[in-house]
Amino acid sequence: MTTQTPRTLGTTGPQVSALGLGCMGMSGAYGESDRAESIATVHAALEAGVTLLDTGDFYGMGHNELLIAEALRTAPAALRENALTSVKFGALRGPDDSWNGFDGRPAAVKNFAAYSLQRLGVDHIDVYRPARLDPDVPIEETVGAIAELVEKGYVRHIGLSEVGADTIRRAAATAPIADLQIEYALISRGPEREILPTLRELGIGVTAYGVLSRGLLSGHVAAGQGFAANDFRAHSPRFQGDNLQHNLTLVEALRKIAEQKDVSVAQIAIAWVVSRGEDIVPLIGARTRERLDEALGALDVTLDAADLAAIEAAVPADAAAGERYAPAQMAMLDSER
């Protein structure tokens, strides 16, 4: 039986399940998804003890928040009351799916929050965070605006996303920060250099997204696999040509270790992130109940020192080919500066 031993987001954040559910993929980020199955997956996650639902107001231009609202509305009351919402805001989109920067102005923060509260059908957001740093607005102003929402009861906790150590320190000096959301996986270990030590010094937790590297570490991606134009992976450097071929060799090396433990590649990749510290809550991006069940099974995987050494040898830090985002999006990441 999979156990959901709770974890706490930093010293000031809420207690949440050991794994959170990242809902972005339910709104077209990886090609078409099935609405009924998405809602059933949210329900199954809640039934399995997952309490943290992660979304962004720009996922499908509001589609994801509306989907979560429907899932919560149709879930049993006891499960609905246990659910916590984590919302990213600030990304500016166009009708053609274009990305047009980020807006962290205080007036915009409150505007985005008002729309999210309405779409989600809730009276408060549990963790509210700017999706990226707005280079034209000091982080103190953005965080200060969220702090005002906390004071008025519209938000419970303040989070950050994809920002570097200096920005984290400035934000934490402005108001209590519960967690940083950042990509962290076997082949995305940049946060270990400076960001994780800073977070631990300040008592800030981590919600780790991309723990399966957009499915690359799921064990379900094949060489030469094509992706729809509206699938993130069609434009991701790690899924292109020789990069993909190289990265799949890492997956196969990981598969050998997984097979020795009689678990899946995905489960061992998630278990590795779980093992990195009790201050880290991995977000699993399951879009179906089948994938959810597989991911939850990672909580039953115990990795001893020999296992961790074997994983490190199979997939060393910085072993992946290709950046985690295309160049234009990498340039937007304060965490990469």
Side-chain angles (χ1 to χ4, degrees), residues 14 18 22 41 43-44 56 79 108 113 123 163 205 207 218 226-227 231 256 272 283 290 305 316 321:
T41 301
H43 288 169
L79 297 180
D123 61 7
V163 291
T207 42
S218 69
F227 300 100
D231 189 321
K256 292 177 181 177
W272 181 87
L283 298 174
E290 180 184 6

Side-chain angles (χ1 to χ4, degrees), residues 142-179:
T142 302
V143 167
I146 307 175
E148 290 180 26
L149 293 172
V150 173
E151 290 173 8
K152 294 180 179 179
Y154 296 119
V155 169
R156 290 286 190 266
H157 304 278
I158 304 171
L160 299 170
S161 178
E162 286 290 354
V163 291
D166 179 63
T167 301
I168 293 166
R169 291 185 184 281
R170 289 168 53 197
T174 304
I177 304 298
D179 72 320

